[in-house]
């Protein structure tokens, strides 16, 4: 079983920045995709960023230009740099690993426990 641990959440002011980290217990190059989801208090879960094989990255329209996903393969860590944070970015952020394109099309294979991001002045 792969362990996935997120960190870096907390309180941030509107317009501020935060960096989330996700550490995996297995070499992340063995995964087809490493991704960030978020779930709002209303229960809506959204895929917001993905880093795939070949260093391809994707960001949802809701965070494009403000958030950036990156990975450090040596540290087995995935990052989410959050800039120009908005109140609607408040959510629990989850890291997700998918071994193959097939599992990536579903819900991936492994999830972390989530890290809370609160946006308030």
């Amino acid at each position: 079983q792969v362990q996935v641990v997120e960190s870096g959440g907390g309180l941030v002011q509107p317009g501020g920045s935060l960096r989330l980290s996700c550490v995996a217990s297995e070499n992340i190059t063995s995964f087809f995709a490493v991704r960030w989801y978020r779930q709002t208090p209303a229960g809506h879960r959204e895929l917001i960023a993905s880093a795939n094989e070949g260093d391809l990255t994707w960001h949802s329209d809701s965070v494009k230009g403000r958030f950036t996903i990156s990975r450090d393969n040596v540290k087995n860590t995935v990052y989410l740099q959050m800039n120009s944070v908005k109140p609607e970015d408040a959510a629990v952020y989850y890291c997700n690993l998918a071994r193959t394109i097939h599992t990536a099309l579903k819900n991936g294979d492994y999830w972390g426990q989530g890290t809370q991001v609160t946006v308030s002045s």
Side-chain angles (χ1 to χ4, degrees):
Q1 182 72 10
V2 176
Q3 303 301 314
V4 181
V5 180
E6 303 99 333
S7 63
L11 176 65
V12 59
Q13 293 185 344
S17 297
L18 208 59
R19 189 176 80 159
L20 307 184
S21 300
C22 165
V23 180
S25 62
E26 184 175 316
N27 191 333
I28 60 173
T29 60
S30 68
F31 294 92
F32 169 76
V34 294
R35 309 180 295 184
W36 286 98
Y37 283 79
R38 66 185 179 187
Q39 184 160 338
T40 64
H44 173 65
R45 187 175 68 182
E46 176 188 19
L47 173 63
I48 60 170
S50 180
N52 298 350
E53 286 183 346
D55 292 327
L56 297 175
T57 61
W58 170 89
H59 299 82
S60 68
D61 287 343
S62 60
V63 305
K64 191 177 298 183
R66 301 186 299 119
F67 295 6
T68 303
I69 188 171
S70 63
R71 53 197 293 172
D72 184 329
N73 294 335
V74 173
K75 296 182 178 179
N76 292 327
T77 301
V78 185
Y79 300 102
L80 185 69
Q81 179 65 44
M82 305 170 60
N83 297 329
S84 302
V85 174
K86 302 176 180 180
E88 53 262 42
D89 294 322
V92 179
Y93 284 71
Y94 295 92
C95 184
N96 174 268
L97 309 180
R99 288 200 180 278
T100 70
I101 188 172
H102 303 288
T103 58
L105 291 174
K106 299 178 181 179
N107 291 322
D109 295 283
Y110 303 102
W111 292 85
Q113 82 290 346
T115 185
Q116 176 74 52
V117 172
T118 302
V119 183
S120 176
S121 55

